[in-house]
Amino acid sequence: GEDVEQSLFLSVREGDSSVINCTYTDSSSTYLYWYKQEPGAGLQLLTYIFSNMDMKQDQRLTVLLNKKDKHLSLRIADTQTGDSAIYFCAEKGSNNNDMRFGAGTRLTVKP
Amino acid sequence: EPEVTQTPSHQVTQMGQEVILRCVPISNHLYFYWYRQILGQKVEFLVSFYNNEISEKSEIFDDQFSVERPDGSNFTLKIRSTKLEDSAMYFCASSGDGNQPQHFGDGTRLSIL
């Protein structure tokens, strides 16, 4: 079946950039999303990109999409301790309502 | 900013009992969803709901599950006879249309004893 894969852990120092990577298999994916989950909280939509785009920037966040390789990344510039959380990549096709999630990448930011 | 709200935050139920999880989607949204996340596993799609009927459901959403929009604001998930393996975090989400981003609630942690 279709799948979304992410590395499970990433550790960076405060002030550095973080890059979280995601790969997906569904070639009909239309929308790709990044959600953030802090401890005990729900899934907060961070940003999303439509499949006909290759880059989207929103303040400290940059999303890069390589549709040919089915690779999505989230770059967080000037990472802060408040960015420590689990980051989920998710994709959705144009003909269905459900989203498929990766397992989440736990980002730890060290002071 | 409008948000999806879910109650209760934690539900403890005896195996075999019925449980109803409640959600209030964002008020002008038309599409509603339930997902679950078993501890240590991925977030999994359960069901989507539009125009007062189920538009899509996964294999997980068997006859023990049902959804309802009993009034203009609530969206509920009922599990008829809970099993131990139903223990999970259940997330409700809503979107303005089927292609807009889905906004999630904080989830209900369901523990089956």
Side-chain angles (χ1 to χ4, degrees):
Chain A
E2 307 298 351
D3 203 8
V4 179
E5 296 290 338
Q6 302 176 238
S7 53
L8 295 182
F9 301 98
L10 176 65
S11 180
V12 301
R13 291 215 170 273
E14 192 173 18
D16 288 350
S17 291
S18 307
V19 179
I20 303 171
N21 293 300
C22 170
T23 57
Y24 60 97
T25 58
D26 186 359
S27 56
S28 71
S29 293
T30 309
Y31 295 90
L32 296 124
Y33 305 88
W34 285 104
Y35 285 85
K36 176 183 179 183
Q37 186 180 37
E38 296 185 65
L43 298 167
Q44 175 197 351
L45 176 67
L46 279 181
T47 187
Y48 64 100
I49 190 167
F50 188 54
S51 60
N52 68 353
M53 299 167 64
D54 52 20
M55 188 182 97
K56 181 177 180 181
Q57 186 152 4
D58 183 2
Q59 298 182 346
R60 292 191 296 123
L61 304 179
T62 304
V63 179
L64 296 177
L65 174 61
N66 181 329
K67 195 174 179 184
K68 173 175 164 290
D69 293 339
K70 299 191 186 70
H71 181 267
L72 181 74
S73 68
L74 174 69
R75 179 176 179 269
I76 307 173
D78 186 26
T79 316
Q80 303 297 307
T81 53
D83 295 323
S84 292
I86 300 176
Y87 290 80
F88 291 92
C89 168
E91 59 90 15
K92 178 184 173 306
S94 60
N95 296 323
N96 52 282
N97 293 323
D98 66 302
M99 287 199 300
R100 283 176 285 273
F101 283 81
T105 299
R106 183 179 295 276
L107 173 65
T108 302
V109 183
K110 298 178 181 175
Chain B
E1 186 176 328
E3 55 184 32
V4 176
T5 56
Q6 291 186 242
T7 54
S9 56
H10 191 187
Q11 173 80 45
V12 182
T13 300
Q14 291 285 334
M15 186 173 60
Q17 296 295 307
E18 175 184 285
V19 67
I20 297 176
L21 309 182
R22 301 181 192 281
C23 170
V24 179
I26 294 173
S27 63
N28 61 347
H29 282 184
L30 301 176
Y31 287 76
F32 315 114
Y33 313 85
W34 284 101
Y35 291 79
R36 79 172 184 192
Q37 185 181 28
I38 294 172
L39 187 63
Q41 298 186 23
K42 289 186 178 183
V43 176
E44 301 172 290
F45 169 77
L46 293 179
V47 66
S48 61
F49 191 86
Y50 169 71
N51 201 25
N52 280 320
E53 60 183 23
I54 290 173
S55 50
E56 199 168 332
K57 61 182 181 178
S58 71
E59 291 176 354
I60 304 167
F61 195 88
D62 61 22
D63 292 344
Q64 293 298 313
F65 291 88
S66 62
V67 289
E68 194 178 30
R69 188 153 162 82
D71 53 44
S73 60
N74 290 283
F75 178 53
T76 61
L77 174 70
K78 182 193 289 187
I79 308 174
R80 192 173 13 252
S81 177
T82 49
K83 304 186 282 288
L84 293 176
E85 54 265 38
D86 293 327
S87 294
M89 182 74 94
Y90 287 80
F91 292 106
C92 174
S94 69
S95 65
D97 66 38
N99 288 321
Q100 288 184 4
Q102 297 176 19
H103 295 263
F104 284 73
D106 283 345
T108 293
R109 181 171 300 283
L110 178 64
S111 300
I112 307 300
L113 304 179

